[in-house]
Amino acid sequence: MNIMETQNLSHTYWRTEAVRSLTFAIPQGGACALLGQNGAGKTTTIKMLMNLLRPTAGSATVLGADSRRLGPAQFRQIGYVSENQKTPAGMTVRGFLDFCRALYPAWDKALETKLLALFQLPPKRKLAHLSRGMRMKAMLLSSLAYRPKLIVMDEPFSGLDPLVRDELTHGLLELAGAGEWTLLISSHDIDDVERLVDRTVIIEAGKLLLDETLESLQRRFRRVEIFSPQPSPVTPPASCIACETNNQHARWIETQYTIGTEHTCRTLFPGATFSMHPMTLKEIYIATVKNTAALKGKN
Amino acid sequence: MNTIQTLLLRDLRRAWPLAGAWMIFAFVFFAYPTEVFRSKFFLFYEFFPIIVWGTWTVLLGFIVHDALPSGSSEFWMTRPISGRQLFAAKMICIVILCVCLPVLVMAAAKMLGLVLWQWLLDAEWHLSVLLIFPRLFMIALSLMVVASLTRNTLQYLLSLFFIGFGAILLTAKYITRITRITPYSEKHTAMQHPNLFEWTIVTMALLGLLFIIYRQYTKRNRIATLASCVALGIVLLGIWKMWPVIPLD
């Protein structure tokens, strides 16, 4: 069952098409990364999913309800953390948590205490007087303590130092082990995101570029290096991107790697030395986006 | 109900210092017999109404801006709080702090002024205190619309300044054409049943503004709210224009 689904979701700001016919789904219990360049439409997509913006076309369902009709019943099961969200600045951390606790019947006081200690938040300090990282931690705590079914995070790590990022990721991973939850996270810190997710959606200029499990991506993407003893022109296979070749040395990214790929390469380039390295999500993302930009440039 | 109560208590707790300050200003302002003190403390009486009503305006904006019904980055929008619940909580808070409290302060101050200064310039002061309630509520609702469409106190105050300035210009230039009411200095007509006219306008404005604010909290559509405000203004001016007048000549 899909906990979140979009069908041709689109949004236009005045004359700018921010999101165009976006269709993807996140199954229950999955953790999905929404990746894309600045201005790709990630935040707009998340805002439409959270009923903060109205789609100009298409539709989305979240927890079985139309995103335009999301109300208190759904938000009791959704934890939303965003860098753009305003915090009730005049409240202390304790006051803020007391306020949030009254809104959620399923609030877990023990988990609140545990996360408060894990994030080292000062309960008596006002939210306005906290650093950006501390404020994000407070927002995350207030969004996790009721054990939401769905957690949506829009750039939660933006502008945070590596230590705070690591603490936030740890907090999330700890919770991931505690129960059934679904995560949608949009971030430019792909290395941190990779530890959390099992699925990736990449959008580019508002359009869906890729929607695949992390396992499948890492299985089919390989960085290939070939060294040929005799100078001869090397023509990489059609499934390759980011090709760099000179007489004896060639490098590219194989996008359809299988067990047979190595054998095919040996047949194509007899006598050459091969190395095929698995790639990280960050490398795959950069290669995919660069390739799309290059294809666009050619067209 | 629980959510409304939580939101209301939070608003009251946050707004209390400003409301307390306002209460002190207002009490002093209403308790002292203006006619006696004006000659002695001229500057004080010139600026005091601005301080009292300015603080009241800021207080109202403070309550609304804490959780705005517009934009897409407000905290409450992704929490189990519906627009209806927020509207109810804000409305109760504004009625308590910006309508009931001023009326109570006014009544208490006038009663105290009566005892201390044997001041009874207005023989029907108790009636005027009661009658101010719907008018004050109407003004509070108008300010609430402006506050709900602006992002912060500065924007809110600037918008009020420009709206006020525009209204003065419009009134000066066009009101006689629109409403058939001649200027006071050259008065040739008088309105029939002026009390009924005033109550009709106040009632229509109250109902219209309540509906507009409710729609803004539930639908969060700024353009629709602005259009509704313009429509309400046209309706009220229309009533004014259609209202029968008696020639005085």
Side-chain angles (χ1 to χ4, degrees), chain B residues 128 131-140 195 198-199 202 206:
Chain B
S128 67
L131 287 178
I132 204 161
F133 189 93
R135 293 173 198 160
L136 201 60
F137 192 29
M138 186 183 76
I139 297 168
N195 284 340
E198 190 184 347
W199 287 109
V202 169
L206 277 178

Side-chain angles (χ1 to χ4, degrees), chain A residues 47 50-52 72 75-76 78 80 84-86 88 90-91 96 99-100 102-104 139 142-143 146, chain B residues 2-3 6-7 10 14 65-66 68 71-82 85 151 219-220:
Chain A
K47 281 186 172 178
M50 292 292 100
N51 191 21
L52 294 170
F75 281 119
R76 271 187 205 106
I78 299 173
Y80 173 73
N84 302 313
Q85 199 175 31
K86 281 188 198 165
M91 297 175 110
F96 174 57
F99 170 68
C100 289
L103 299 172
Y104 296 95
M139 292 299 282
S142 75
S143 304
Y146 48 95
Chain B
N2 197 23
T3 307
T6 307
L7 293 169
R10 181 175 161 255
R14 286 194 69 235
H65 285 132
D66 175 54
L68 272 174
S72 62
S73 55
E74 293 297 321
F75 175 76
W76 71 272
M77 289 174 182
T78 51
R79 300 283 165 167
I81 301 167
S82 69
Q85 287 166 327
R151 295 200 193 286
K219 304 283 176 201
R220 306 199 306 248

Side-chain angles (χ1 to χ4, degrees), chain A residues 75-111:
Chain A
F75 281 119
R76 271 187 205 106
Q77 304 175 70
I78 299 173
Y80 173 73
V81 182
S82 164
E83 62 159 351
N84 302 313
Q85 199 175 31
K86 281 188 198 165
T87 45
M91 297 175 110
T92 61
V93 173
R94 171 61 54 218
F96 174 57
L97 293 176
D98 290 343
F99 170 68
C100 289
R101 198 182 307 120
L103 299 172
Y104 296 95
W107 189 275
D108 185 341
K109 187 80 173 70
L111 183 61

Side-chain angles (χ1 to χ4, degrees), chain B residues 138 141-142 145 204-214 232:
Chain B
M138 186 183 76
L141 288 184
S142 312
V145 173
M204 293 283 291
L206 277 178
L207 293 174
L209 287 168
L210 272 172
F211 175 74
I212 289 170
I213 298 168
Y214 175 78
L232 180 65

Side-chain angles (χ1 to χ4, degrees), chain A residues 40-88:
Chain A
K42 306 184 295 292
T43 298
T44 305
T45 305
I46 288 181
K47 281 186 172 178
M48 282 191 282
L49 289 168
M50 292 292 100
N51 191 21
L52 294 170
L53 277 179
R54 294 212 149 228
T56 39
S59 65
T61 49
V62 178
L63 293 166
D66 186 330
S67 69
R68 284 166 292 199
R69 307 228 183 289
L70 287 188
Q74 287 79 31
F75 281 119
R76 271 187 205 106
Q77 304 175 70
I78 299 173
Y80 173 73
V81 182
S82 164
E83 62 159 351
N84 302 313
Q85 199 175 31
K86 281 188 198 165
T87 45

